[in-house]
C-alpha cells in the first residue's frame, strides 16, 4: 500500500463547477476507488492550494491510473507527494 499527499488546485473549469462541487467530489472519489484506492482525508484550504488530500493505493500503477483519470475530468491539477509514516521512515534510515 502506498500513500500520496495531493496538493490540489482547481482549474478554471473546476472553479466554474463549484455550484455542483458535491458531484465533482463524488466523481473523483469514484475514480479513485475504481482504481483500487481510497480518499483517506480531504481538506479544503485557503492559500496556494484549494484542497489537500491524503490517498492510499495498492501500488504506483493504481495511483498513476487514478491520477490520469481525474486529470481527464479537466477540473483540477495537483502536485503528488509520496508519503510514508514517520516510524517506517525511521526504520529505513536505520536499515
Amino acid at each position: 500500500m502506498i500513500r500520496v499527499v495531493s496538493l490540489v488546485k482547481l482549474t478554471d473549469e473546476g472553479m466554474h463547477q463549484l455550484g455542483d462541487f458535491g458531484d465533482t467530489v463524488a466523481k473523483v472519489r469514484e475514480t479513485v476507488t475504481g482504481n483500487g484506492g481510497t480518499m483517506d482525508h480531504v481538506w479544503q484550504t485557503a492559500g496556494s492550494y484549494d484542497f489537500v488530500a491524503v490517498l492510499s493505493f495498492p501500488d504506483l500503477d493504481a495511483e498513476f491510473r487514478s491520477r490520469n483519470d481525474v486529470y481527464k475530468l479537466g477540473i483540477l491539477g495537483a502536485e503528488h507527494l509520496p508519503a510514508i509514516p514517520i516510524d517506517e521512515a525511521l526504520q529505513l534510515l536505520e536499515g
Side-chain angles (χ1 to χ4, degrees):
M1 183 68 69
I2 64 166
R3 280 203 181 108
V4 177
V5 175
S6 294
L7 307 174
V8 180
K9 285 187 174 188
L10 294 174
T11 63
D12 288 342
E13 180 62 28
M15 293 296 277
H16 289 298
Q17 293 183 23
L18 277 177
D20 299 321
F21 205 68
D23 294 338
T24 301
V25 171
K27 286 179 195 174
V28 171
R29 182 172 281 129
E30 181 180 321
T31 300
V32 169
T33 58
N35 284 293
T38 59
M39 291 174 55
D40 300 331
H41 304 282
V42 181
W43 300 273
Q44 186 171 11
T45 56
S48 299
Y49 298 95
D50 298 309
F51 297 90
V52 174
V54 177
L55 306 122
S56 296
F57 293 94
D59 54 40
L60 188 58
D61 290 347
E63 187 273 334
F64 184 81
R65 285 190 308 274
S66 180
R67 179 172 12 117
N68 288 322
D69 288 347
V70 168
Y71 284 170
K72 289 176 189 177
L73 298 173
I75 55 175
L76 61 85
E79 287 185 52
H80 302 279
L81 309 168
I84 61 172
I86 191 65
D87 291 338
E88 291 179 31
L90 292 172
Q91 286 177 350
L92 290 171
L93 291 171
E94 292 172 0

